[in-house]
Amino acid sequence: MSMHQNGGLTRRGLAALLGLGLVEVITPGAASADGRRIPREGGPPLLIHTRRDWQALPARRPATVFRTPPNRIVVHHTATPNSEDYSLTHAYRLSRRIQRFHMRARGWDDTGQQLTISRGGHIMEGRNRSLAAIRNGRHVVGAQALNHNGHTIGIENEGDYGDAPVPGTLWDSLVETCAWLCAEYDLDPFRAIVGHRDLVATDCPGDVLYGRLTELREDVSDRLDAREDQEDQEDQEEPSEDVPPSGEAPPSGEVPSPGEAPPPDGGVPSGQVPPSGQVTAPGEVPPIEPGLPPVRDPAHVSPDVGVPASPSPNAPRLDG
């Protein structure tokens, strides 16, 4: 597949993927249409600051969006000074600084990563249209992992973690962000979460942060399990209708409860025996025809050459 050096598709390569219906192109202008608070099942909304919030520059070209989701979450560090400024203003300034460096110094179309987390724990949208793609189960092709941009989503974590500890504020947001991505993309954190050095010859994300990736996977798994338990508990606590056991007719002369409307077709209230004698189980509804499965390419179409199908989450360090 033809590629630009900055990780984008050539016109010929993009045309081929568009013809297969596996790619769509979204202009960056509408990126801020998404709300900041992302609803999540079994947990509070996740606060994401959009490109409009931190006043991103317009991208040189629209982002390429794959209909297929990513299968790896790549953890990076920015290798910038470990600032003690945990404010939102500083976080916005960080995102602008990263984007300027990627676009002006490296010549990329836009900031390379899809998400950025500041040392103060503020989570920000990176490459244009990343937030919309995530919320729709799709994948914005970034420029954050050479030869692996077609199947990975990258998180830049502010700081240099060669030998410095990771702030608790950043760590908590990283756990929440990875849990959100795993839920949105139906990923196993033990397989999906990798360090940048697992894919490319680099020191990133630093020895300290890389050494905590096993802990990160475990924390994300625990968070996902806790949300599932909470959802199950909420389902069990939902009030059920007071109906007679299946197959048992109600006492004669029974009237509907106050406020209960009789069936519009002249039938019987839910839970009572229909004239035919066939009993409908409480809460039973007609089967719903399943929708079409998501568009997936069995051959794993990717703009990158030599993408491994399942890189090990504990792959050996490539920088020696």
Side-chain angles (χ1 to χ4, degrees), residues 145-169:
L146 183 64
N147 294 327
H148 294 275
N149 289 310
H151 72 111
T152 65
I153 184 168
I155 304 173
E156 285 275 11
N157 297 279
E158 181 191 8
D160 188 334
Y161 299 107
D163 54 14
V166 181
T169 47

Side-chain angles (χ1 to χ4, degrees), residues 3 19 26 76 84 102 106 135 163 175 205 209 229 239 243 300:
M3 292 286 297
I26 303 176
H76 299 262
E84 296 300 322
H102 285 177
R106 294 190 172 177
R135 296 176 65 182
D163 54 14
V175 171
L209 182 51
D229 293 342
V243 296
H300 183 68

Side-chain angles (χ1 to χ4, degrees), residues 249-257 260 268-269 272:
S252 60
E254 180 173 334
V255 296
S257 301
E260 181 180 350
V268 295
Q272 296 187 19

Side-chain angles (χ1 to χ4, degrees), residues 40-241:
R40 296 180 295 170
E41 294 184 359
L46 189 66
L47 183 61
I48 307 288
H49 300 279
T50 66
R51 290 167 59 85
R52 172 176 287 183
D53 293 331
W54 55 268
Q55 300 178 343
L57 295 171
R60 291 195 179 99
R61 271 185 280 251
T64 299
V65 181
F66 278 20
R67 296 183 186 274
T68 51
N71 62 4
R72 294 294 183 272
I73 301 169
V74 183
V75 177
H76 299 262
H77 72 171
T78 61
T80 54
N82 292 326
S83 173
E84 296 300 322
D85 187 348
Y86 287 8
S87 69
L88 184 58
T89 300
H90 170 80
Y92 287 173
R93 189 162 53 244
L94 170 72
S95 284
R96 292 193 296 268
R97 177 183 176 186
I98 293 173
Q99 186 190 39
R100 286 196 302 268
F101 174 72
H102 285 177
M103 294 182 70
R104 296 175 183 176
R106 294 190 172 177
W108 295 349
D109 292 341
D110 193 6
T111 192
Q113 75 287 352
Q114 288 84 354
L115 295 165
T116 305
I117 303 177
S118 73
R119 283 172 59 83
H122 303 291
I123 309 166
M124 291 157 291
E125 180 183 24
R127 179 158 284 213
N128 66 94
R129 244 1 209 164
S130 291
L131 182 55
I134 295 168
R135 296 176 65 182
N136 287 281
R138 300 183 179 185
H139 174 52
V140 166
V141 180
Q144 45 84 36
L146 183 64
N147 294 327
H148 294 275
N149 289 310
H151 72 111
T152 65
I153 184 168
I155 304 173
E156 285 275 11
N157 297 279
E158 181 191 8
D160 188 334
Y161 299 107
D163 54 14
V166 181
T169 47
L170 189 154
W171 181 262
D172 291 343
S173 290
L174 179 58
V175 171
E176 292 294 343
T177 300
C178 289
W180 168 52
L181 294 176
C182 285
E184 291 291 334
Y185 292 130
D186 193 22
L187 298 175
D188 176 2
F190 292 101
R191 291 177 54 83
I193 298 173
V194 298
H196 189 194
R197 66 175 64 173
D198 289 327
L199 305 176
V200 179
T202 176
D203 290 334
C204 183
D207 290 346
V208 174
L209 182 51
Y210 185 78
R212 296 188 66 181
L213 290 188
T214 297
E215 179 186 354
L216 176 62
R217 298 179 189 111
E218 292 172 349
D219 285 356
V220 171
S221 179
D222 290 344
R223 195 63 50 90
L224 294 172
D225 290 343
R227 289 176 187 165
E228 289 182 3
D229 293 342
Q230 183 175 346
E231 291 172 22
D232 293 341
Q233 183 177 357
E234 291 174 353
D235 291 340
Q236 294 174 2
E237 292 175 354
E238 289 183 359
S240 59
E241 296 181 4

